[in-house]
Amino acid sequence: MDEKQRNSRVMRRAVALAAAAVVGVTAGCTAQASGAGAAAAGGAKRAAAAPAHTPANVPANAPVEAASSDAAPAEGRSEGPAEPTPEPKTSSAKPKTSPPAPPAPPAPPAPKVLMASGAEGAQVRELQARLRQIAHFNRTPTGYYGPVTAAAVSSFQGKRGLPRTGTTDTVTWDKLLGMTRKPTRAELHPTTANPVAKPDPRCMTGRVLCISKTSRTLSWMVEGRVVSAMDVRFGSQYTPTREGVFSVYWKSRHHVSTLYDSPMPYALFFSGGQAVHYSSDFAARGYSGASHGCVNVRDEGKIASLFAQVRNGDKVVIYW
């Protein structure tokens, strides 16, 4: 082979290598460092035809192809930089709540009860006398707080817009004090509810319990003079109080009836089981009731004083 032919062959090889290099650059592959131009070209074609992912039979140490910057975007993903996912908005404002209701004011304390049914004494007598001044109590004050007094108190409370309890509390008492005056001794201790009857002639001598069924009064008389007088009531038509002249034969301060199992304080017996004595029922209910034949006294203070003065043997006269 002459020199001209050799130069021609070298030229063709150089052209082939240059073409292979151009193909390698165009396919984006790295040119192999050795091998013929055809092999290089064939490798370039296989590289161009290979899928983007690495086949399973490619050695683990094979170089990984770099992704081209102009490769198509993956399905379902938009081109360009992904927008950041907005974080959920949270409000820093506190939820509105209704202000708590103010506590209810404490209930005012109930007024103190001063007197109620069953009470006895000077204050009860004053209560009755004051109620009598304004026409709420139409009886003689007795100092005993019974149904009649409770009804009078209830009537007074109702007229003044107070709760009708029938008990005398501080509010009721203050209201009554403001409407009445201090009772006199005669108002607190009246002689009797009814005028004292003219004494029976049998009462004009000696020491006598002179008892009138007409005026319903008892006069304690000494030698024709009235020492004290008090209201009394008698037995019913089925258990009448005996009439006539008798004498006190037994005094019993804390007597209790063996027939009726009822108390008979300050009893002055004058005829069998009949006696002059204090009656809480009379003090409470007045003339709406009756005794079982005894002479009932409703003012405990007066009968107590009488009991202290009367002696066994003193005369008892009961008449119309």
Side-chain angles (χ1 to χ4, degrees):
M1 178 182 298
D2 56 14
E3 185 177 352
K4 186 178 179 180
Q5 292 176 332
R6 284 196 299 273
N7 290 339
S8 178
R9 181 176 293 177
V10 171
M11 182 64 68
R12 288 196 297 274
R13 179 174 294 179
V15 171
L17 290 173
V22 171
V23 172
V25 171
T26 303
C29 298
T30 302
Q32 300 290 327
S34 60
K45 290 180 181 180
R46 285 194 300 273
H53 62 274
T54 305
N57 58 358
V58 175
N61 59 356
V64 180
E65 298 178 3
S68 173
S69 61
D70 58 352
E75 184 178 356
R77 185 183 301 171
S78 60
E79 296 187 49
E83 295 183 1
T85 303
E87 295 182 2
K89 295 181 179 181
T90 58
S91 175
S92 60
K94 295 182 179 180
K96 294 182 178 180
T97 57
S98 301
K112 180 182 178 182
V113 174
L114 302 177
M115 292 167 277
S117 292
E120 297 180 78
Q123 190 176 27
V124 176
R125 186 180 292 272
E126 181 181 352
L127 167 70
Q128 294 167 335
R130 286 180 179 272
L131 288 171
R132 193 177 187 186
Q133 289 176 8
I134 53 177
H136 280 282
F137 189 77
N138 59 357
R139 308 289 179 85
T140 301
T142 63
Y144 183 86
Y145 203 122
V148 174
T149 304
V153 171
S154 179
S155 173
F156 171 79
Q157 291 170 328
K159 289 289 184 66
R160 272 73 198 175
L162 303 175
R164 299 178 67 120
T165 62
T167 59
T168 305
D169 54 34
T170 52
V171 175
T172 302
W173 182 244
D174 290 344
K175 193 77 169 177
L176 182 61
L177 293 181
M179 298 181 61
T180 56
R181 53 177 171 73
K182 185 176 179 61
T184 64
R185 177 171 177 78
E187 289 176 318
L188 292 170
H189 303 275
T191 305
T192 55
N194 299 318
V196 178
K198 182 179 179 180
D200 186 279
R202 294 169 291 183
C203 301
M204 300 308 292
T205 59
R207 297 162 58 91
V208 185
L209 295 174
C210 193
I211 303 170
S212 170
K213 284 190 173 182
T214 301
S215 64
R216 297 187 291 192
T217 60
L218 181 156
S219 299
W220 168 232
M221 301 182 64
V222 177
E223 301 300 338
R225 180 177 63 89
V226 176
V227 177
S228 64
M230 58 203 73
D231 296 318
V232 293
R233 75 177 182 181
F234 308 97
S236 67
Q237 60 177 327
Y238 304 105
T239 56
T241 302
R242 302 181 186 101
E243 301 160 17
V245 178
F246 311 91
S247 62
V248 176
Y249 70 90
W250 181 32
K251 294 173 59 176
S252 180
R253 167 66 179 82
H254 301 288
H255 193 78
V256 177
S257 171
T258 56
L259 287 177
Y260 304 105
D261 193 30
S262 58
M264 299 170 57
Y266 307 105
L268 303 169
F269 286 92
F270 60 86
S271 177
Q274 293 188 357
V276 176
H277 67 85
Y278 170 69
S279 169
S280 59
D281 181 73
F282 183 25
R285 298 198 298 139
Y287 290 103
S288 61
S291 73
H292 292 96
C294 291
V295 178
N296 291 163
V297 178
R298 67 177 176 184
D299 191 316
E300 188 174 14
K302 288 187 175 183
I303 186 63
S305 176
L306 179 66
F307 184 86
Q309 298 175 59
V310 171
R311 301 191 293 257
N312 286 340
D314 287 344
K315 189 164 45 175
V316 178
V317 178
I318 303 176
Y319 65 99
W320 281 99

